């Protein structure tokens, strides 16, 4: 049993806290016994994880190949690290030279300009702006 002495607005109180069972405590104040119901401790609020969905387009993007057949990704430029595509600088049919910026990939809060590794013609754009990609995800096919 814990005992406390308080003075509130000039009035003295002797408080003894007895047994606590569940959330009911036996408390004796100046010789008079009370059963006090205590509020349960608030559980820490768990942070909610919000996942931003990738923007979907209703129709096929205009820079997608018209045939929509299988694409040879052997010649595809691939993501060097995980990130989010923030800009696509080329379209299907564009001629690019080695060193031209093809895709901008945001990774670790930095914009990374991904450059064409070789000269050629863009035959397929495999991602959209806003898409999350993992390392080695094919981005653009240059042949």
């Amino acid at each position: 049993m814990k005992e406390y002495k308080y003075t509130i607005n000039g009035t003295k109180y002797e408080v003894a806290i007895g047994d606590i069972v569940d959330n009911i405590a036996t408390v004796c104040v100046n010789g008079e016994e009370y059963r006090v119901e205590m509020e349960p401790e608030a559980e820490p609020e768990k942070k909610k994880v919000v996942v931003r969905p990738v923007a979907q387009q209703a129709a096929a993007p205009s820079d997608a190949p018209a045939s929509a057949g299988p694409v040879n990704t052997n010649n595809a430029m691939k993501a060097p690290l995980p990130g989010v595509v923030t800009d696509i600088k080329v379209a299907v049919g564009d001629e690019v030279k080695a060193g031209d910026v093809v895709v901008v990939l945001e990774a670790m809060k930095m914009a990374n300009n991904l450059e064409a590794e070789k000269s050629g013609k863009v035959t397929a754009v495999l991602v959209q702006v806003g898409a999350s990609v993992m390392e080695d995800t094919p981005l653009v096919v240059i042949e």
Side-chain angles (χ1 to χ4, degrees):
M1 185 176 288
K2 290 192 170 193
E3 295 183 17
Y4 302 92
K5 293 184 182 183
Y6 298 102
T7 301
I8 302 173
N9 293 333
T11 305
K12 294 186 178 190
Y13 297 94
E14 291 184 18
V15 179
I17 300 176
D19 296 329
I20 300 174
V21 179
D22 291 327
N23 63 334
I24 306 292
T26 304
V27 179
C28 185
V29 179
N30 291 344
E32 194 169 335
E33 192 169 298
Y34 298 95
R35 290 176 46 84
V36 178
E37 183 176 351
M38 299 183 296
E39 290 184 20
E41 287 186 35
E43 292 185 26
E45 189 174 317
K46 294 181 181 177
K47 294 191 178 198
K48 296 177 183 174
V49 177
V50 178
V51 178
R52 181 178 53 147
V54 175
Q56 298 292 324
Q57 292 184 349
S62 60
D63 55 356
S67 66
V71 177
N72 181 5
T73 58
N74 292 335
N75 295 329
M77 190 173 107
K78 296 182 179 172
L81 67 167
V84 175
V85 176
T86 57
D87 196 8
I88 300 172
K89 302 282 189 180
V90 295
V92 174
D94 288 355
E95 292 287 334
V96 296
K97 295 178 186 168
D100 287 352
V101 175
V102 177
V103 175
V104 179
L105 183 71
E106 182 179 310
M108 298 183 284
K109 298 186 180 185
M110 290 180 57
N112 299 283
N113 291 330
L114 304 183
E115 300 172 349
E117 298 167 355
K118 63 180 181 176
S119 297
K121 183 177 182 180
V122 177
T123 59
V125 177
L126 305 172
V127 292
Q128 296 177 353
V129 172
S132 293
V133 297
M134 298 304 293
E135 185 175 356
D136 292 330
T137 299
L139 305 172
V140 176
V141 177
I142 300 172
E143 294 181 339

